[in-house]
């Protein structure tokens, strides 16, 4: 399994804080490489990220999670492996294979993203609750984190979400 050059390039953009708040990755149609699935611009909401995740397919995601610590807004790149518990295929064996591959191939993608220090695996929407992600991302922070603070919301504005 290989990771497309586009995935690496998108990782570099989000790592430098440019253009994107989140990126989702998937297997290509031939199931021979990992490719970019969808991206959300720097002002995309958390709900647009959640809406981009399918219920019958695995995805790997980079999410730039923002939080407040000592009156300073900070962010960390979080790698999320999305393997929904709702995946169903024709046979139990095929269902197990799809779920296994979702977890197994995440390590291939993570090798291309050395600055990502926080990983999380989710199987349903409750796993992706903001509080869960925030507590995972801030686990080793020395300074106290404001758990009530949230990044600015959409305010009804339309922000770019691009499917590839």
């Amino acid at each position: 399994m290989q990771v497309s050059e586009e995935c690496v390039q998108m990782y570099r953009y989000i790592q430098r804080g440019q253009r994107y708040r989140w990126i989702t990755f998937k297997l290509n149609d031939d199931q021979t490489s990992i490719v970019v699935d969808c991206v959300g611009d720097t002002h995309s909401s958390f709900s647009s990220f959640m809406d981009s995740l399918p219920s019958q397919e695995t995805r790997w995601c980079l999410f730039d999670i923002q939080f407040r610590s000592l009156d300073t807004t900070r962010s960390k790149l979080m790698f999320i492996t999305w393997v929904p518990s709702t995946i169903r295929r024709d046979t139990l064996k095929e269902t197990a294979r799809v779920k296994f591959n979702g977890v197994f191939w995440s390590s291939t993608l993570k090798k291309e993203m050395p600055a990502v220090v926080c990983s999380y695996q989710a199987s349903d929407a409750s796993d992706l609750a903001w509080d869960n992600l925030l507590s995972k991302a801030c686990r080793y922070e020395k300074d106290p984190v404001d758990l009530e603070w949230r990044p600015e919301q959409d305010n009804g504005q339309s922000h770019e979400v691009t499917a590839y």
Side-chain angles (χ1 to χ4, degrees):
M1 183 70 57
Q2 65 184 31
V3 177
S4 74
E5 185 57 37
E6 184 181 34
C7 292
V8 176
Q9 184 179 14
M10 294 292 210
Y11 160 71
R12 289 182 185 136
Y13 285 139
I14 199 171
Q15 180 188 19
R16 290 183 289 216
Q18 300 173 332
R19 299 186 191 173
Y20 308 115
R21 174 123 188 253
W22 53 266
I23 306 169
T24 60
F25 306 94
K26 67 177 184 175
L27 287 176
N28 66 356
D29 294 336
D30 300 336
Q31 304 217 347
T32 56
S33 69
I34 299 172
V35 297
V36 173
D37 176 44
C38 202
V39 297
D41 71 13
T42 54
H43 302 290
S44 291
S45 66
F46 183 66
S47 62
S48 67
F49 166 69
M50 294 289 292
D51 292 343
S52 75
L53 299 174
S55 64
Q56 291 296 313
E57 299 291 330
T58 60
R59 290 293 184 268
W60 303 282
C61 316
L62 266 183
F63 189 82
D64 187 10
I65 189 163
Q66 299 173 345
F67 57 95
R68 186 165 290 254
S69 177
L70 295 180
D71 296 328
T72 303
T73 302
R74 300 186 53 203
S75 69
K76 284 188 180 181
L77 280 181
M78 177 175 267
F79 184 88
I80 301 169
T81 302
W82 172 248
V83 182
S85 57
T86 56
I87 290 178
R88 298 289 179 263
R89 296 295 187 265
D90 292 338
T91 66
L92 184 59
K93 183 177 181 180
E94 181 64 15
T95 300
R97 185 191 65 78
V98 170
K99 289 182 177 186
F100 173 80
N101 284 343
V103 175
F104 183 77
W105 294 119
S106 67
S107 62
T108 302
L109 188 55
K110 282 194 282 190
K111 285 178 189 173
E112 300 293 331
M113 303 174 181
V116 176
V117 294
C118 185
S119 296
Y120 190 73
Q121 184 174 330
S123 61
D124 61 34
S126 67
D127 291 340
L128 289 174
W130 182 259
D131 294 340
N132 291 344
L133 295 180
L134 189 61
S135 66
K136 178 72 173 178
C138 299
R139 176 178 282 165
Y140 300 109
E141 287 294 310
K142 289 186 261 182
D143 297 325
V145 174
D146 182 355
L147 298 176
E148 301 300 317
W149 184 83
R150 299 284 188 271
E152 291 184 32
Q153 297 299 314
D154 279 355
N155 299 328
Q157 297 177 3
S158 172
H159 296 287
E160 185 175 333
V161 174
T162 307
Y164 280 73

